[in-house]
Amino acid sequence: VLREQGRVAEAEPLYRQALAILERGLGYTDADTMACLQGLIELLRTQGRITETAALCRRALDAWRWQMR
């Protein structure tokens, strides 16, 4: 909701906190964790933060590859 309202400065730390909680509780390959990661990726991408976006995309790709084993 915050991202959609353009309140990205408020949204980013919440995405990061939620992602950390989901990774600890559900693991980094869980669908909910991956959905949260995708939200953070999209947030950073829309801000033009390509280096951070690329790193998170690699992380998501690693998780997807692990799921496909």
Side-chain angles (χ1 to χ4, degrees), residues 46-59:
T46 60
Q47 294 178 21
R49 294 164 63 182
I50 303 305
T51 303
E52 292 172 85
T53 300
L56 291 176
C57 285
R58 282 190 291 278
R59 200 165 131 191

Side-chain angles (χ1 to χ4, degrees), residues 1-63:
V1 173
L2 292 174
R3 183 183 73 187
E4 294 165 2
Q5 294 175 349
R7 297 164 59 188
V8 295
E10 296 171 70
E12 183 181 348
L14 295 176
Y15 266 114
R16 292 188 185 277
Q17 182 181 20
L19 183 59
I21 290 167
L22 289 166
E23 285 179 335
R24 278 194 306 272
L26 301 174
Y28 79 101
T29 61
D30 179 78
D32 290 332
T33 303
M34 295 299 292
C36 185
L37 179 58
Q38 179 60 38
L40 179 58
I41 288 169
E42 182 61 21
L43 177 75
L44 296 175
R45 186 193 63 77
T46 60
Q47 294 178 21
R49 294 164 63 182
I50 303 305
T51 303
E52 292 172 85
T53 300
L56 291 176
C57 285
R58 282 190 291 278
R59 200 165 131 191
L61 182 58
D62 288 343

